[in-house]
Amino acid sequence: VEPAARLGDLVLPEEWRRTALGLASSADHTVLYLQGPYGVGKETVAEALCREAGLGLLVIDLERLLAADDETFETALDLAAREAVLQNAALLWQGFDGLLEDDRRGRRARFLGRVADAVRDSAGSGAPALAFLTGNADWEPSDALHEAGFVRLAVPLPDARERAELWRQALAGSGLEEDVDLAALAGKFRFTAGQIRDAAATARSIFRVSRVSRAARARDPHGPAGNLPLDDLLAASRLQSNPRLAALAQKITPRYGWDDIVLPRDRKDQLREICNTVKYRARVYEEWGFGGKLAMGKGVNILFAGPSGTGKTMAAEIIAGELGLDLYRIDLSTVVSKYIGETEKNLSKVFAEAETSNAVLFFDEADALFGKRSEVRDAHDRYANLEISYLLQRMEAYEGVVILATNLRKNMDDAFVRRLHFAIEFPFPNDGDRLRIWSGLWPEGVPRSPEVDLEFLARRFEVPGGNIRNIAVAATFLAAADGGVVTMAHLIRALQREYQKMGKVTLPGEFGEYAGFAAR
């Protein structure tokens, strides 16, 4: 690689740049382990440091080299050291994580020894005495590199202000850099510089495909150019998030909007406040400095409490849709384990993957795991309390959005609830709310008889929105098999079936003038 990057042009803290330059130019520190996730700029930093030192840079794919046999591996190490001297270049060993994860052949010690020897030999001959290792693991050598001079230098993740600048650079010429709230976008997606560039490129690819599709439908070989749509940018950003969370949780595609949920005005206002907290937390915590007052707890932890069917899952979907984030529902049956320590391991996996997924985590029926901490009477109680304490710790360390849903608010430990940012009660719907639910859930294509009396159903039968939806769907299926028009007879029959499922009994007198439609 011919070093072209300049250290001063990189979007990095000024103090960090000065530290990196000082270490690279110091005779006492000649092996730099640049640590950080994909896209953070490890190779670019090495390139800029070599430019400052007047060196070239040789990049070696260590993971590919590890697939070779031992003789080839050893020969490659010798050739790389020789080539660095001949080309007046530093060596960058890319993918050092592979050697840390699997060392069954004992190559790590030999590799580190050869790196140390090469650095010392180069320094003694007046040749460049600088080498780089890159990886994501938090690692320190035991003794192999101490004599050669080793420093682990963590390349920092960009903060919200730096992410906004990176988005501006990546979106240059797209037509979005002036229209999009870059600060809000940077606050939603905690990306590295490489991920931001990839997301912008992916968004352009999505836009090109959709433009060609529109052009084909219009029989226009070129189609309208236009600006890059915000929806394409959000879709591309979600694609850049870690997809492995899907192996631990169920991904839910948000289908609902603000008009779909029926709640008291104050509750809806609280949901909007949650969205604003996520959108503007970068401004409050980083630009305005409030983050310096908080050791932890910079994520958004929320409790939804209320009877089943009152809209808790729908509200989670609305929040994720409003923010443009993925929503994952955690199946507690796969998390909670009767074996000591397994629940913590499962929770650790979920939160570890979520850190890079920029996702909303939704723990449904959370009271099964997050109930009141019990009095310790035996070992099982003690470990159950440890599980809850561990969850609190991971939630406070997580910088994303966590939603806990429970049917029994009173079972939640008070100390637990105090550490949440929001707690919203979802009330059982009254007559007026039930009528709004009955009236608003019908698609335009469903044929309904004029005799359908939704006001009667809302007034007479006290069921939450989830059950109302089930009744409407079941009635529509009955109508599809019986004339194709939804009537009161279909609704009464569907309501009875729903009551049977709920374990309730209906009496003919409850149906009033429609008692003739009730099943005998």
Side-chain angles (χ1 to χ4, degrees):
V1 175
E2 185 64 34
R6 296 179 181 273
L7 201 60
D9 296 335
L10 303 181
V11 182
L12 289 166
E14 180 61 31
E15 183 178 352
W16 190 93
R17 286 201 294 261
R18 289 197 299 268
T19 300
L21 184 59
L23 291 172
S25 59
S26 171
D28 296 330
H29 302 101
T30 50
V31 179
L32 294 182
Y33 174 39
L34 299 176
Q35 179 200 357
Y38 163 77
V40 80
K42 300 184 289 290
E43 187 172 326
T44 306
V45 167
E47 185 180 330
L49 292 175
C50 286
R51 181 188 176 97
E52 294 283 349
L55 300 174
L57 181 64
L58 290 176
V59 179
I60 302 174
D61 187 348
L62 185 55
E63 288 189 10
R64 182 178 175 185
L65 189 58
L66 289 173
D69 57 58
D70 288 344
E71 183 178 354
T72 303
F73 179 76
E74 298 286 346
T75 302
L77 298 182
D78 292 335
L79 292 176
R82 186 185 69 179
E83 197 69 17
V85 174
L86 293 175
Q87 296 196 31
N88 190 38
L91 287 173
L92 185 149
W93 299 92
Q94 193 179 60
F96 184 59
D97 284 330
L99 196 57
L100 295 176
E101 293 172 0
D102 185 4
D103 190 33
R104 286 174 293 182
R105 299 187 188 181
R107 288 178 168 179
R108 186 192 310 163
R110 298 202 304 273
F111 168 77
L112 295 176
R114 301 293 279 278
V115 169
D117 291 342
V119 168
R120 284 196 299 268
D121 293 344
S122 298
S125 63
L130 186 61
F132 299 96
L133 308 175
T134 65
N136 192 22
D138 189 358
W139 172 80
E140 293 281 350
S142 55
D143 56 6
L145 295 178
H146 288 170
E147 293 183 9
F150 172 86
V151 170
R152 179 174 60 86
L153 192 60
V155 182
L157 291 168
D159 60 23
R161 180 187 58 79
E162 292 164 346
R163 289 196 299 270
E165 172 60 20
L166 291 167
W167 275 114
R168 188 190 64 76
Q169 296 175 7
L171 294 174
S174 68
L176 274 181
E177 63 270 29
E178 300 298 332
D179 299 332
V180 175
D181 186 346
L182 297 180
L185 188 65
K188 290 179 188 177
F189 297 98
R190 302 180 303 281
F191 281 162
T192 64
Q195 287 177 305
I196 289 174
R197 289 192 297 269
D198 291 346
T202 301
R204 289 186 172 95
S205 298
I206 294 173
F207 178 52
R208 282 195 294 270
V209 171
S210 62
R211 187 177 68 184
V212 170
S213 177
R214 293 195 303 271
R217 289 196 298 269
R219 298 185 182 279
D220 180 352
H222 301 291
N227 291 333
L228 181 66
L230 177 60
D231 288 346
D232 289 349
L233 181 60
L234 292 176
S237 297
R238 289 192 293 271
L239 288 173
Q240 289 301 316
S241 297
N242 193 334
R244 291 184 295 178
L245 187 58
L248 303 169
Q250 176 191 0
K251 183 177 179 180
I252 300 176
T253 301
R255 299 163 295 168
Y256 300 111
W258 292 108
D259 294 335
D260 295 312
I261 194 165
V262 177
L263 285 172
R265 183 187 182 98
D266 177 63
R267 305 300 194 277
K268 270 196 173 183
D269 288 344
Q270 283 182 288
L271 295 178
R272 294 186 186 276
E273 289 168 12
I274 290 171
C275 295
N276 288 334
T277 299
V278 177
K279 290 178 181 178
Y280 301 114
R281 58 183 172 172
R283 177 180 299 174
V284 173
Y285 288 148
E286 298 183 19
E287 291 183 31
W288 294 353
F290 223 109
K293 300 291 184 179
L294 303 174
M296 301 178 75
K298 298 178 184 178
V300 182
N301 298 323
I302 307 155
L303 173 68
F304 288 167
S308 179
T310 51
K312 299 185 293 294
T313 302
M314 180 183 289
E317 291 190 33
I318 291 171
I319 289 174
E322 175 73 11
L323 296 174
L325 300 175
D326 286 330
L327 174 66
Y328 286 90
R329 178 162 51 197
I330 312 302
D331 183 0
L332 288 176
S333 66
T334 64
V335 173
V336 179
S337 175
K338 65 181 180 180
Y339 298 106
I340 291 174
E342 286 300 311
T343 299
E344 291 92 329
K345 289 181 182 178
N346 294 334
L347 286 171
S348 178
K349 291 178 183 177
V350 169
F351 280 102
E353 295 300 336
E355 286 291 350
T356 54
S357 293
N358 298 283
V360 177
L361 299 183
F362 179 59
F363 288 87
D364 201 5
E365 306 293 341
D367 45 288
L369 179 62
F370 315 120
K372 286 190 175 182
R373 281 175 278 192
S374 60
E375 180 183 350
V376 177
R377 298 178 180 175
D378 55 29
H380 182 273
D381 291 338
R382 180 161 58 88
Y383 281 105
N385 290 342
L386 288 176
E387 291 172 359
I388 298 169
S389 298
Y390 180 78
L391 172 75
L392 285 169
Q393 174 189 340
R394 292 309 301 256
M395 286 178 59
E396 291 187 333
Y398 180 57
E399 295 193 0
V401 180
V402 178
I403 301 175
L404 312 177
T406 176
N407 297 337
L408 301 172
R409 167 67 174 81
K410 63 182 180 181
N411 281 1
M412 300 296 290
D413 185 272
D414 290 338
F416 185 95
V417 175
R418 279 198 303 270
R419 294 161 81 170
L420 302 174
H421 297 88
F422 294 90
I424 301 180
E425 293 281 350
F426 285 70
F428 199 92
N430 58 29
D431 294 7
D433 288 339
R434 289 197 296 273
L435 180 58
R436 289 167 58 199
I437 296 171
W438 274 113
S439 303
L441 58 76
W442 299 97
E444 293 183 3
V446 176
R448 284 186 290 157
S449 170
E451 70 166 354
V452 169
D453 190 351
L454 298 180
E455 186 176 349
F456 167 80
L457 295 172
R459 182 181 66 255
R460 184 63 62 90
F461 300 100
E462 297 182 359
V463 289
N467 297 102
I468 292 175
R469 179 197 58 214
N470 294 342
I471 294 167
V473 172
T476 305
F477 275 105
L478 291 173
D482 180 29
V485 178
V486 177
T487 65
M488 280 299 288
H490 299 134
L491 284 165
I492 294 299
R493 180 63 60 85
L495 189 146
Q496 282 187 296
R497 295 290 184 246
E498 187 69 14
Y499 265 50
Q500 289 174 359
K501 186 174 68 176
M502 296 166 62
K504 295 184 178 181
V505 177
T506 56
L507 301 175
E510 294 182 67
F511 299 102
E513 61 187 286
Y514 302 106
F517 298 142
R520 302 295 180 182

